[in-house]
Amino acid sequence: NKWDGRVVVVRKALSSSVEGSAKLVYYPGRNGQATLARVHDHCGEGCVERDGVPKVSLDASWPALRPGVMDIMKLSVNGEELNTIRGARALLSRRQVCVVMMHVRKIQQGWRDPQGGTPGQEKYTAELWQLLRGGDMDIALHLDSDLTGQIGDEDPRPRPKTVALNSADELNAIFEAPAFAHDYVVARQKVRGKSPCLGSVALKNYDLLFGSTV
């Protein structure tokens, strides 16, 4: 697939800053995905714990790895989405992130953190919304096609479909509702004038990837 020599593996935990370390848990064989022990606190049979993993932010790591814009930020950080977006605040404010894609179910893992309760959940959503809008982004819910048969008849909503979101309250309603395997929050930068994302391959193919937004 021509990815040899083009993938850089950074053995750190994405977060809001480069300070401190994280405790992670994971199940070997599950695509290498790890979850913060704070979020996934029932590490059972077959689960491996790894403490002392250094933290890193995208603001600190991306400029050292790649020059220019981040064409697409596809997150799969199992509940650490808000902290990861916090750690990309400078990139977003400089309009250097063109497209963002996050699993609804995985965002919910952090959104449901019992430490905050319902007011904390609304605050979580409001901050996530503001950070993305601060990057001059339109935000939408994308329901992808169920090509893997993971949803079946459980969800009656038509797929594929992309629905524009107009407020943090609309985004919070998505987190409050049941989510399915192929539900995503997607955001794209509004290209204006001499935007750094002018010419972005991800933006050029946005409608092909996610369909026309309604």
Side-chain angles (χ1 to χ4, degrees):
N1 58 16
K2 299 183 180 180
W3 284 106
D4 289 350
R6 301 179 64 186
V7 176
V8 177
V9 177
V10 179
R11 298 181 183 276
K12 296 182 179 181
L14 277 175
S15 192
S16 57
S17 73
V18 297
E19 298 178 358
S21 61
K23 182 179 181 180
L24 304 176
V25 299
Y26 72 98
Y27 291 87
R30 294 192 182 179
N31 300 322
Q33 293 186 41
T35 306
L36 284 181
R38 174 181 58 78
V39 176
H40 188 83
D41 59 3
H42 51 282
C43 192
E45 185 178 354
C47 176
V48 177
E49 295 187 12
R50 181 65 59 86
D51 205 351
V53 178
K55 291 183 178 181
V56 70
S57 71
L58 286 170
D59 281 339
S61 60
W62 178 257
L65 292 170
R66 295 281 191 271
V69 301
M70 183 182 299
D71 213 28
I72 183 165
M73 180 196 297
K74 199 284 185 183
L75 295 180
S76 185
V77 289
N78 295 4
E80 192 69 351
E81 281 75 10
L82 177 56
N83 272 335
T84 300
I85 295 293
R86 284 171 176 158
R89 188 189 304 267
L91 288 170
L92 287 164
S93 67
R94 293 197 299 265
R95 310 296 188 263
Q96 290 188 308
V97 180
C98 306
V99 174
V100 177
M101 182 178 181
M102 300 177 283
H103 298 263
V104 173
R105 275 183 167 178
K106 295 186 177 186
I107 298 172
Q108 285 176 328
Q109 292 184 50
W111 177 84
R112 289 189 179 122
D113 186 342
Q115 297 175 8
T118 301
Q121 292 169 351
E122 293 172 352
K123 184 178 179 181
Y124 178 112
T125 306
E127 184 178 356
L128 179 61
W129 177 269
Q130 188 56 47
L131 285 167
L132 293 173
R133 294 291 285 184
D136 203 22
M137 290 188 139
D138 288 323
I139 305 166
L141 169 68
H142 175 64
L143 306 176
D144 205 8
S145 300
D146 183 24
L147 300 179
T148 59
Q150 292 176 270
I151 300 173
D153 297 328
E154 294 181 49
D155 183 15
R157 296 173 298 180
R159 295 172 180 270
K161 186 176 182 180
T162 305
V163 181
L165 301 176
N166 300 301
S167 69
D169 288 341
E170 290 185 7
L171 181 60
N172 201 63
I174 290 168
F175 299 152
E176 291 176 328
F180 298 88
H182 305 300
D183 295 3
Y184 298 92
V185 172
V186 294
R188 63 172 168 181
Q189 192 186 122
K190 303 172 186 177
V191 176
R192 311 171 190 268
K194 296 182 179 180
S195 167
C197 283
L198 190 66
S200 160
V201 174
L203 283 176
K204 286 180 179 178
N205 291 279
Y206 185 91
D207 287 343
L208 177 63
L209 291 170
F210 302 116
S212 297
T213 302
V214 296

